[in-house]
C-alpha cells in the first residue's frame, strides 16, 4: 500500500499493524523523519506526489488523506494511476469546500499545514478529476460536519480540556449528519473509494 502524502506516518503505522506492506511518501523531510520514528517497520521516502519515484503498477492500493488538494490535481492523480496496479483500490479523504464551518475556519484561522494555492474540493469536481484519469468511483461518503472545524478551533485556543460528554454529543450529531440526504454533502470531509 502506498500512503500518498503520509505526513507523520500515523496511518502508515496503523496499516502496517494489520500486516500490510506499506510505503509512505511525503515531500516534507521533517515529517518523514518523524514518520520513521512513529512507524519504524515502514519504508518512508521523501518525494514529490506529482513525480513519484516508483515503477508503474508497483502498488495494490493507494491511500491518501488530505493531500491531493495541495497538488496539481491532474499531475497527482496521473501519478497515482501510474503506480497503481490495474483494477486496484484508491482511497482518498479530502476537504469539502461546501462545509461552511471549514470555509470560515480556513479564512479566519489559517493553519501551518495550509499551502499556497491549496483549494478544497467541491465533491462533483473531485469526482470529475478522478474520472478524467480513468478511475471508476465505487463509493463516496461525507464525514465530520463539526469534528474537524471543532478540532481546529480547540487547537488554536490551545484547549485540551474536552469533556467526554462533549465528545459524545459531537459524535451523535456527526452520525446524524452523515445519514441525512443532501445535508451530508456539507460535511467537512469527502471520502472516495475508486479503482
Amino acid at each position: 500500500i502506498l500512503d500518498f502524502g503520509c505526513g507523520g506516518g500515523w496511518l502508515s503505522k496503523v496499516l502496517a499493524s494489520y500486516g500490510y506492506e506499506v510505503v509512505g511518501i511525503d515531500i516534507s523531510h521533517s515529517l518523514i523523519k518523524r514518520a520513521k520514528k512513529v512507524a519504524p517497520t515502514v519504508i518512508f521516502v521523501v518525494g514529490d506526489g506529482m513525480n513519484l519515484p516508483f515503477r508503474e503498477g508497483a502498488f495494490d492500493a493507494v491511500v491518501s488523506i488530505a493531500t491531493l488538494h495541495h497538488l496539481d490535481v491532474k499531475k497527482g492523480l496521473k501519478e497515482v494511476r501510474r503506480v497503481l496496479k490495474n483494477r486496484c483500490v484508491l482511497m482518498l479523504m479530502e476537504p469539502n469546500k461546501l462545509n461552511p464551518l471549514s470555509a470560515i475556519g480556513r479564512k479566519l484561522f489559517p493553519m501551518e499545514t495550509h499551502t499556497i494555492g491549496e483549494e478544497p474540493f467541491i465533491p462533483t469536481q473531485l469526482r470529475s478529476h478522478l474520472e478524467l484519469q480513468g478511475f471508476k468511483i465505487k463509493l463516496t461518503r461525507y464525514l465530520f460536519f463539526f469534528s474537524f472545524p471543532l478540532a481546529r478551533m480547540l487547537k488554536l485556543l490551545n484547549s485540551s480540556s474536552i469533556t467526554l460528554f462533549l465528545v459524545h454529543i459531537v459524535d451523535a450529531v456527526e452520525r446524524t449528519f452523515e445519514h441525512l440526504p443532501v445535508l451530508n454533502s456539507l460535511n467537512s470531509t469527502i471520502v472516495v473509494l475508486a479503482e
Side-chain angles (χ1 to χ4, degrees):
I1 297 175
L2 176 63
D3 187 354
F4 183 73
C6 65
W10 63 269
L11 178 59
S12 296
K13 180 180 180 177
V14 170
L15 292 169
S17 76
Y18 283 100
Y20 293 107
E21 277 186 57
V22 181
V23 175
I25 188 165
D26 201 284
I27 200 162
S28 168
H29 290 272
S30 62
L31 287 174
I32 290 295
K33 187 176 178 180
R34 187 179 314 158
K36 287 178 178 180
K37 291 177 183 172
V38 168
T41 62
V42 172
I43 297 167
F44 290 103
V45 179
V46 175
D48 183 351
M50 296 178 292
N51 188 21
L52 294 172
F54 308 113
R55 66 176 167 73
E56 187 172 322
F59 296 97
D60 297 309
V62 175
V63 295
S64 179
I65 297 180
T67 300
L68 198 55
H69 72 285
H70 293 284
L71 307 176
D72 177 307
V73 180
K74 184 179 177 182
K75 288 180 181 176
L77 284 175
K78 186 175 182 178
E79 278 296 278
V80 166
R81 166 55 73 206
R82 183 183 66 77
V83 301
L84 192 59
K85 289 180 184 169
N86 284 337
R87 303 195 53 81
C88 286
V89 176
L90 166 64
M91 192 285 300
L92 294 172
M93 293 178 72
E94 286 292 334
N96 185 354
K97 191 173 187 171
L98 300 179
N99 180 268
L101 297 176
S102 290
I104 291 167
R106 281 178 173 277
K107 294 289 183 200
L108 299 179
F109 309 109
M111 298 182 75
E112 69 279 355
T113 56
H114 292 174
T115 55
I116 295 170
E118 74 170 42
E119 189 68 33
F121 291 101
I122 294 172
T124 54
Q125 175 191 38
L126 181 56
R127 176 182 214 91
S128 180
H129 282 298
L130 286 161
E131 289 171 346
L132 284 171
Q133 291 303 319
F135 287 98
K136 183 176 179 184
I137 310 294
K138 294 296 191 180
L139 177 76
T140 303
R141 292 284 186 266
Y142 305 97
L143 304 174
F144 314 125
F145 188 84
F146 297 104
S147 296
F148 283 145
L150 182 61
R152 161 183 275 166
M153 183 184 75
L154 292 171
K155 181 177 181 179
L156 290 170
L157 295 174
N158 204 16
S159 175
S160 58
S161 59
I162 301 173
T163 66
L164 191 55
F165 177 72
L166 179 61
V167 169
H168 287 298
I169 289 173
V170 170
D171 182 55
V173 172
E174 295 286 31
R175 290 175 190 271
T176 302
F177 264 78
E178 288 170 12
H179 292 91
L180 293 174
V182 181
L183 285 180
N184 69 357
S185 66
L186 298 178
N187 286 341
S188 70
T189 303
I190 307 164
V191 180
V192 178
L193 186 65
E195 65 176 31

